[in-house]
Amino acid sequence: MNTEEMTLSTFLVSRTDQKGRITYANDAFCKVSGYEPDELIGKPHNVVRHPDMPRETFKGLWADLKSGRLWSGMVKNRKKNGDHYWVKAWIYPYEDREGNSHFESVRVEMTDEMNRKENEKMNAILFDIIQHSIEIEDDTEFYDRAIRACFANPWLALEQKGGIFLKNSGENSLRLAHSINFSEMLHSMCAKVDFGQCLCGLAAQRRELVFADCVDDLHTTRPPGMKPHGHYNVPIILAGRLIGVIVFYISHGHIRNEFEELFLRNLANVMGAAIMRRDGDRQIKQLVSEISESNRKIAEQLQRNRNLHTIIQQYLPQTVWRQAGSAIEAGRVDLRGERKEMTYFFCDMSGFTAYSEIADPEDVISTVNQYFEAAVSIIHEEGGDIERFMGDGFLAIFEDAREAGRAALLCTRRFREIGAERAREGRKDMQFRIGLHSGVGVRGSVGGSLRKEFTVMGDAVNTASRLESLCSPGRILVSEDFYNKAPDRFLVGESFDIAMKGKAQPLKVRYLRGIGPSRPVHT
């Protein structure tokens, strides 16, 4: 984005108090992040922090701000839906007219440009290391520059700690050639490592990458006060000869990453050629060719991963996707259940069985998708989430009953429009029943170790399903519990009682006709 294209609406502006809690976010910030203003105000600004961003970046940021200095830099943030976006940020302290201290952030979105640069960055870091190996005379300085080049890239989830071991000539052992952020005790304990000893010795002995997501039994070197962590231990091998091992620290519970491993193997290849420098330019040119091919494979793998990401996200509820991201960030491989009051939205096609018996299977699927495509779009736009599809029906959940009611009315109206279009084309007009109920449900993992669903269940869910089954086609039947969430917002018919299987008392229900004049939608 050039300067001529920028307007005031281009900038993402937010303010926080001294503790980093958001006190203001402009429309551009909300639009890009996907949050509503009331979802941001009062929350820590790290609600949009992406887990790929190194902690050290924010330590430096806060150090500058607390010293009264302006901080600027590139930041990768996370949207409400889990996607990421990049911004160029300028953050500075200021005082308001009352003398209260705040922090203000002015940002310009740079997502497209940063995504284009990611592949360039992968090549650039390796080429920079090769250049350093040619220009820098001192080995220690070269090792330091190479390791820190890896630390500096947010797409590599490495801790700011690592080192390089070289093989001792004539011995099956390694010596620590250089380390970054090793304690004196650890540096002393790792000064010499026999093959097979601890993780670096295992990588040398096996001549293969050794990954650990925690301090396990193989981690035999344990200085006092050692904190939980993991490792990538990468052997440096050139022309079949072991030269050494590179070690990087990672956070405890880090998920093994094929992209990271492929990059680190390429890094080990570069370091091997740099350290040996046996055949000079000939070997370096050959290595550049190999790196380019490897990076092409990395790009292909990244694209496959993005495609897999897109496919999986289409087939999972947004709630599960968000919970999975939080679980991974917390170092867990399971999803935690919870009890929560929500509004349950059941929708089902009337007369589907009879229609499916006479229509071609392809036409049946096409018909269902024509209606559901519209419904899914409306439900997501109104703040809901599709929990699951059940043939010709689906269950959606909402945290706000008003949004659920509005979505139901919009769906009913859109279903009628689609039905009218189908009728003009000589195709069958389908009718739908919708049931809405508000109550406490339980979300949890259901299934076995090989296949699970993270789903909602409970009496409130069953009640909404029963309402849908008793509803007249083309209408919306709601419980009194739903109506009482905001009675001034809904236009409804007279209440009446229905018998519920397994319940001693009847359930009071109404037909939903519309919502109040502030957001008029009628069916």
Side-chain angles (χ1 to χ4, degrees), residues 94-136:
Y94 82 101
E95 289 188 358
D96 59 23
R97 295 178 179 177
E98 287 74 32
N100 299 313
S101 297
H102 304 270
F103 299 114
E104 183 164 279
S105 172
V106 179
R107 306 173 183 223
V108 177
E109 187 183 6
M110 305 288 285
T111 304
D112 291 341
E113 181 178 346
M114 289 301 295
N115 286 341
R116 287 194 300 270
K117 288 183 177 180
E118 277 189 347
N119 284 338
E120 298 173 3
K121 196 73 171 179
M122 289 186 292
N123 285 328
I125 183 173
L126 296 174
F127 284 117
D128 284 346
I129 291 173
I130 293 173
Q131 194 68 27
H132 294 330
S133 74
I134 297 170
E135 296 175 348
I136 298 175

Side-chain angles (χ1 to χ4, degrees), residues 43 67 75 82 124 142 153 165-166 229 238 258 274 314 316 350 356 362 364 378 396 440 445 456 461 481 501:
K43 300 294 191 305
S67 298
V75 180
F142 165 59
N153 288 273
F165 293 82
L166 297 180
H229 64 276
L238 187 67
E258 181 180 353
Q314 290 179 27
L316 285 178
S350 175
S356 63
E362 294 79 6
V364 172
I378 291 170
V440 176
S445 297
V456 293
V461 181
D481 288 332
K501 184 178 180 180

